[in-house]
Amino acid sequence: DAMVIQNPRYQVTQFGKPVTLSCSQTLNHNVMYWYQQKSSQAPKLLFHYYDKDFNNEADTPDNFQSRRPNTSFCFLDIRSPGLGDAAMYLCATSSSNEQFFGPGTRLTVL
Amino acid sequence: DAKTTQPNSMESNEEEPVHLPCNHSTISGTDYIHWYRQLPSQGPEYVIHGLTSNVNNRMASLAIAEDRKSSTLILHRATLRDAAVYYCILIWGGSNYKLTFGKGTLLTVNP
């Protein structure tokens, strides 16, 4: 089945240690998104790619970066994770009127 | 993006219809009304969307008020699997389809 895959599902990192979360898709969609969802809160958009064009949300911290080497893959890099960055990170794709979400990666920062 | 207002929580019984309201009094003419839901420990999933006319699909129905200032998501027969947070989101027709999630409505379905 066509889908959005996120690896790993659970990630533990140490305070200040860079971490990369991965997302891949088999839907061949041109738009990919990264959301952050903290406990008991709604998902919050960090940035998105329209093909190779990167679009950062105004309030996304500089600590968060992203790469999209090709249509299928997108990465979220957190350069120096703080305790406040512990959250579920959701990847999504879309082609027109619907977003397809992956299962998320739960990040723990020790 | 125009804002939406939803009740924090609602409760329903299994196999009964559920009507989830959403107010969007500042909606503009080009805003589409989208509904997503998020089941526990999962990513959100698309439910339905519309612009002016009522819409039906295999998951739900969307009833849109004539003045478009409110809408209602209708689950015709709630199941335990429908227990989730339901989000009503307005999306400008000319945007890159970005979702701005509000707090949503937590739906509890009783057996």
Side-chain angles (χ1 to χ4, degrees):
Chain A
D1 286 340
M3 55 179 23
V4 180
I5 303 157
Q6 291 189 245
N7 285 309
R9 294 292 309 277
Y10 300 89
Q11 176 74 55
V12 180
T13 190
Q14 291 181 336
F15 182 93
K17 185 175 180 181
V19 65
T20 295
L21 308 183
S22 300
C23 177
S24 64
Q25 56 139 336
T26 60
L27 297 161
N28 205 35
H29 286 163
N30 54 359
V31 191
M32 293 187 77
Y33 309 79
W34 279 104
Y35 291 84
Q36 179 193 62
Q37 185 173 25
K38 295 187 177 180
S39 182
S40 301
Q41 296 184 21
K44 181 177 181 299
L45 181 64
L46 295 173
F47 25 60
H48 73 280
Y49 277 93
Y50 190 96
D51 292 324
K52 286 192 174 293
D53 292 333
F54 177 71
N55 298 272
N56 200 27
E57 293 301 300
D59 56 355
T60 298
D62 292 340
N63 199 25
F64 292 87
Q65 305 284 317
S66 185
R67 295 170 284 133
R68 189 180 185 186
N70 53 50
T71 300
S72 300
F73 286 87
C74 196
F75 300 98
L76 170 62
D77 300 310
I78 309 177
R79 293 192 296 187
S80 182
L83 298 179
D85 297 327
M88 176 74 81
Y89 289 89
L90 295 159
C91 174
T93 72
S94 81
S95 60
S96 57
N97 290 326
E98 181 177 346
Q99 280 193 21
F100 296 83
F101 284 81
T105 294
R106 182 165 296 282
L107 179 67
T108 299
V109 182
L110 301 177
Chain B
D1 291 325
K3 289 204 168 188
T4 63
T5 305
Q6 299 177 252
N8 289 333
S9 63
M10 290 185 66
E11 208 167 315
S12 172
N13 296 321
E14 201 174 8
E15 299 191 6
E16 290 184 357
V18 181
H19 291 233
L20 296 162
C22 181
N23 287 320
H24 28 79
S25 57
T26 60
I27 191 170
S28 74
T30 54
D31 284 337
Y32 285 76
I33 303 159
H34 287 248
W35 285 82
Y36 280 74
R37 72 180 185 181
Q38 188 170 22
L39 279 64
S41 302
Q42 295 188 27
E45 65 175 342
Y46 168 84
V47 178
I48 200 167
H49 80 278
L51 182 62
T52 56
S53 304
N54 294 343
V55 185
N56 300 298
N57 66 19
R58 63 174 178 81
M59 289 180 71
S61 295
L62 176 60
I64 302 172
E66 200 169 327
D67 63 5
R68 300 209 327 126
K69 293 183 186 296
S70 65
S71 60
T72 302
L73 179 71
I74 302 166
L75 307 178
H76 295 285
R77 288 180 73 233
T79 69
L80 297 178
R81 199 193 169 279
D82 291 321
V85 178
Y86 286 78
Y87 296 100
C88 169
I89 303 170
L90 300 183
I91 300 176
W92 175 52
S95 73
N96 262 357
Y97 196 77
K98 297 196 304 181
L99 298 178
T100 302
F101 289 86
K103 294 183 179 178
T105 296
L106 175 63
L107 176 66
T108 301
V109 181
N110 299 315

